[in-house]
Amino acid sequence: MSQYCIAGIDTGVGKTLVTAALAYRTGWPVFKPILSGIGEPGVNDADLLARVTGQTSVEISPWQFAAPLSPHLAAAREGKRIDPPELEAWGQAQLEAHPQLCIEGVGGLMVPLDGQYTMFDWMRAMRLPIILVSSSYLGTINHSLLSIAQLQQHDMPLQAVIVSQAAPERDAGLQDTCETLRAYLPQAVPVIALPRLAPSDTPWKQAADLLNFDL
């Protein structure tokens, strides 16, 4: 079986682009169970992934909330809550139904979903190898190493780190970031540079070098 969780060091680092690129190259189904800030129809993350895979937006993201906030706050704005046992049961159902898939998290590892339950707690329950998406903005090395330490402390398998290049006004150096992270990781864990892609309606198609690790 080939099943992976796409985690991030922060929000807005490129998790959905990485997930879309993986789906495009493999043909696997993908899921992003929780989506905050759904915005206009056709432009949110679930809609983007649906364009790649042919799945529906609701199939990809069953928990969708309007406010661009942490999921527990976005749900509360609508008088709702994310129930951890329900979320875990949904996840297990996808793992049983799809021997090959990617499931994308929301925000960074420690984003609260409900009370004391975080995105990280859910990932631990799923017990999937992690593809960690980082970036190259100033501060990302600290955020990345904290995320890596959290994974290592709990013996969660790290499959790869993908460093997505930040916007030009924020970029602190893509290759320098990659080289620094490599020094802190076992040689078996690749650190993959994802240069900033040209504007396009289908940017995931440009990420040709993204899969140079063994899936």
Side-chain angles (χ1 to χ4, degrees), residues 64-212:
Q64 297 192 19
F65 307 105
L69 300 171
S70 176
H72 73 303
L73 296 176
R77 285 269 183 104
E78 299 179 20
K80 300 174 183 177
R81 65 181 292 268
I82 298 168
D83 180 62
E86 182 183 359
L87 182 63
E88 290 183 10
W90 174 90
Q92 290 299 335
Q94 305 317 310
L95 299 185
E96 293 170 7
H98 305 284
Q100 296 175 312
L101 57 69
C102 289
I103 300 182
E104 180 188 340
V106 59
L109 284 180
M110 299 305 294
V111 165
L113 302 183
D114 181 56
Q116 299 298 308
Y117 189 88
T118 66
M119 192 76 245
F120 183 75
D121 293 322
W122 182 76
M123 290 180 183
R124 288 184 67 191
M126 295 301 98
R127 296 192 293 273
L128 293 177
I130 303 295
I131 298 172
L132 183 66
V133 181
S134 179
S135 188
S136 58
Y137 58 78
L138 181 62
T140 195
I141 292 173
N142 175 64
H143 298 163
S144 299
L145 294 181
L146 286 172
S147 298
I148 290 166
Q150 177 77 350
L151 295 171
Q152 292 174 335
Q153 181 180 351
H154 294 275
D155 296 319
M156 293 180 66
L158 181 59
Q159 177 74 27
V161 177
I162 297 176
V163 182
S164 178
Q165 189 169 24
E169 65 274 10
R170 300 185 66 202
D171 187 27
L174 177 61
Q175 295 303 327
D176 288 342
T177 299
C178 290
E179 290 173 11
T180 301
L181 294 179
R182 287 189 186 105
Y184 286 88
L185 285 165
Q187 190 172 4
V189 179
V191 178
I192 301 163
L194 176 58
R196 189 164 181 81
L197 304 177
S200 167
D201 290 337
T202 56
W204 54 86
K205 294 183 179 180
Q206 301 176 45
D209 296 329
L210 189 56
L211 297 180
N212 57 1

